[in-house]
Amino acid sequence: MTTVADRSVPEVDAIRHHYEVSNDFYRLLLGPTLMYSGGYWEEGEGLTQALDEAQERKLDRFVELAGAAGAGRVLDIGCGWGTMLNRATSVHGVREGVGLTLSRTQERFVASLDNPRITARVESWEDHVADEPYDAAFCINALEHFVSSELPPRERAKKFRVFFQKVAANLRPGARLVLHTMTAEALPMNRRLLDDLKFLQRSEFENCHIPHLHELTGGAEGLFDVVEIVNERESFAVACRAWLELLAARRDEAVALEGEEVVARFERYLDIFAYTLEDRFFNNFRITVARR
């Protein structure tokens, strides 16, 4: 199902600017798991050597938190290359997985996995209406793209409220949403940080708003019960450093695939995310909530 593929919408264009770089480039950058969020490394494991295991460990924990093992239907909002859904259906016995993405290249990649239990749709979360309620939902480092930074604070709060309302409407009572998202802290600015944030806003993730935690808790209030909130900024910073190492090791191949400008963009943005997480300007929260 495709509802936005041929429309030019500012948020859609911004997402495609970043996510419709070739799948081959992303496989080089992220490794075989193609998971674009923090992983769970164990003590003593190598940064790049254990990247895939760290990502799979994270996905397994998310399935556990969502109570999704053996579930009938699960939803992944911002599904990327289908890694979460592929593992949930192949390893954890989920019968059917539906993923939403605005990237046409990601939709095609998920279709190429040849897993009849999963479907990716080029469809906004705002447009999605489930045929029947889902038993669990995931949104893994995608929410940062859903609300425009150009909106005033009150309008941003309304948009987050609509997000949680839409998710709740698509879940059965008691079903859980596991949300992984960056949030921003109100910390003093310096020249380097200001310049880097401008780069993120203007060159890589145009008009994307990294939320504050209170915007999320306010949006979910009355719709979901909070099960847990855990700050996992370190695991995301480590993932960014691992991706930078993989990119450096195969930089010539990356340039051949996408050109110097794209590679330089990715190097800069990953370094910005790594140090802002390490310096605690950004967080990366794992939030588990249950539909009332």
Side-chain angles (χ1 to χ4, degrees):
M1 178 178 181
T2 301
T3 62
V4 296
D6 299 316
R7 281 194 283 153
S8 179
V9 180
E11 300 94 316
V12 176
D13 293 342
I15 288 171
R16 289 178 176 170
H17 169 72
H18 185 78
Y19 290 96
E20 290 197 349
V21 175
S22 72
N23 291 327
D24 287 339
F25 174 84
Y26 271 111
R27 188 183 289 108
L28 181 153
L29 175 71
L30 304 177
T33 54
L34 281 168
M35 196 67 218
Y36 211 2
S37 67
Y40 292 173
W41 278 264
E42 294 184 348
E43 187 174 353
E45 289 185 328
L47 194 63
T48 58
Q49 296 85 348
L51 173 61
D52 294 333
E53 291 84 355
Q55 294 291 5
E56 290 170 351
R57 201 174 285 133
K58 184 265 306 290
L59 297 177
D60 293 342
R61 178 60 176 150
F62 279 26
V63 169
E64 180 183 8
L65 286 167
R73 305 179 77 234
V74 302
L75 175 68
D76 190 1
I77 306 164
C79 67
W81 295 268
T83 310
M84 176 81 249
L85 294 177
N86 200 34
R87 191 161 182 84
T89 54
S90 301
V91 176
H92 296 285
V94 171
R95 189 182 77 239
E96 180 187 3
V98 176
L100 307 181
T101 178
L102 296 180
S103 168
R104 297 157 295 192
T105 55
Q106 289 180 342
E107 179 199 32
R108 290 192 290 270
F109 184 88
V110 175
S112 75
L113 294 174
D114 198 27
N115 181 342
R117 294 187 178 188
I118 64 176
T119 304
R121 307 180 182 186
V122 179
E123 182 178 13
S124 169
W125 60 267
E126 295 179 273
D127 299 327
H128 184 65
V129 178
D131 299 327
E132 57 182 287
Y134 293 102
D135 299 304
F138 305 95
C139 184
I140 304 174
N141 288 108
L143 185 67
E144 300 92 330
H145 298 288
F146 295 168
V147 176
S148 172
S149 61
E150 293 188 339
L151 292 174
R154 183 171 295 183
E155 294 303 312
R156 291 201 304 263
K158 289 180 181 178
K159 193 71 176 286
F160 284 118
R161 183 65 172 176
V162 170
F163 170 78
F164 284 104
Q165 288 172 334
K166 290 289 292 186
V167 176
N170 283 312
L171 289 174
R172 62 167 176 78
R176 290 185 175 187
L177 163 68
V178 179
L179 176 66
H180 225 201
T181 184
M182 297 181 75
T183 69
E185 294 283 351
L187 296 178
M189 291 283 182
N190 57 50
R191 174 54 60 185
R192 178 193 179 192
L193 180 58
L194 185 60
D195 288 344
D196 285 341
L197 293 179
K198 286 180 179 179
F199 166 79
L200 292 176
Q201 281 285 310
R202 295 173 181 175
S203 301
E204 201 54 45
F205 302 103
E206 186 177 0
N207 296 331
C208 289
H209 172 64
I210 294 179
H212 300 285
L213 183 59
H214 69 83
E215 293 176 311
L216 306 181
T217 56
E221 187 174 2
L223 300 168
F224 291 90
D225 291 322
V226 175
V227 177
E228 67 156 19
I229 300 178
V230 180
N231 196 346
E232 297 186 323
R233 66 164 76 91
E234 293 84 1
S235 70
F236 202 2
V238 170
C240 290
R241 295 297 182 196
W243 298 330
L244 281 166
E245 283 195 17
L246 289 176
L247 185 56
R250 300 178 64 184
R251 195 178 194 282
D252 289 346
E253 294 175 64
V255 171
L257 284 169
E258 294 295 338
E260 175 65 32
E261 187 270 336
V262 169
V263 172
R265 265 177 34 214
F266 272 73
E267 287 172 330
R268 184 175 180 188
Y269 111 75
L270 286 170
D271 181 66
I272 293 169
F273 273 180
Y275 91 76
T276 51
L277 288 159
E278 291 161 352
D279 291 349
R280 301 185 178 186
F281 180 82
F282 288 139
N283 303 301
N284 196 57
F285 279 104
R286 185 183 78 201
I287 302 172
T288 306
V289 293
R291 184 192 182 281
R292 288 191 166 187

